[in-house]
Amino acid sequence: QVQLVESGGGLVQAGGSLRLSCAASGLTVSTLRMGWFRQAPGKEREFVAAIPWRGFNTNYAESVKGRFTISRDNAKNTVYLQMNSLKPEDTAVYVCAAPDPLTGAWRYWGQGTQVTVSS
């Protein structure tokens, strides 16, 4: 059974930093492309960042490029999202995602962790 458990969210002032963690079980993050998404109140879920299973070709939403960094610790089977220079518009529930190994489509989702950035 696949489980993705996020942690590290909280309340931070604009300009501050947070590091989110996504601990995975039932799958091996080193063999899969992993991603982060977010959903703000009243808005659609949107892509934030992804990291390939091999290599360093990460990709980011334009809105977070240069401020957020996705990384992976294979030994801990955990994916991270380092968020710097946070803005009020980054306020959202952040959700970790993993794909279906056969199709590559995002299939597994965590419960999410709330990030609130005050101005």
Side-chain angles (χ1 to χ4, degrees):
Q1 181 180 359
V2 174
Q3 278 195 317
L4 302 173
V5 180
E6 302 93 337
S7 61
L11 174 64
V12 64
Q13 288 189 329
S17 298
L18 284 173
R19 188 177 81 153
L20 306 183
S21 300
C22 170
S25 59
L27 57 82
T28 304
V29 300
S30 62
T31 65
L32 295 169
R33 180 175 181 250
M34 298 292 295
W36 286 95
F37 290 73
R38 68 186 182 185
Q39 187 165 17
K43 293 188 177 181
E44 296 289 318
R45 182 168 57 198
E46 64 174 354
F47 168 79
V48 175
I51 184 167
W53 69 276
R54 186 173 64 179
F56 303 96
N57 194 21
T58 54
N59 60 300
Y60 299 91
E62 284 297 322
S63 59
V64 307
K65 214 172 271 189
R67 300 188 297 121
F68 291 10
T69 303
I70 187 171
S71 62
R72 179 178 55 219
D73 185 330
N74 293 338
K76 295 182 178 180
N77 211 33
T78 298
V79 178
Y80 302 99
L81 186 67
Q82 177 67 42
M83 307 186 296
N84 298 328
S85 303
L86 282 161
K87 304 175 181 180
E89 51 264 43
D90 294 318
T91 295
V93 175
Y94 284 72
V95 182
C96 178
D100 184 308
L102 296 179
T103 67
W106 298 110
R107 175 179 175 182
Y108 303 104
W109 304 88
Q111 291 296 310
T113 185
Q114 175 71 47
V115 172
T116 304
V117 185
S118 63
S119 57

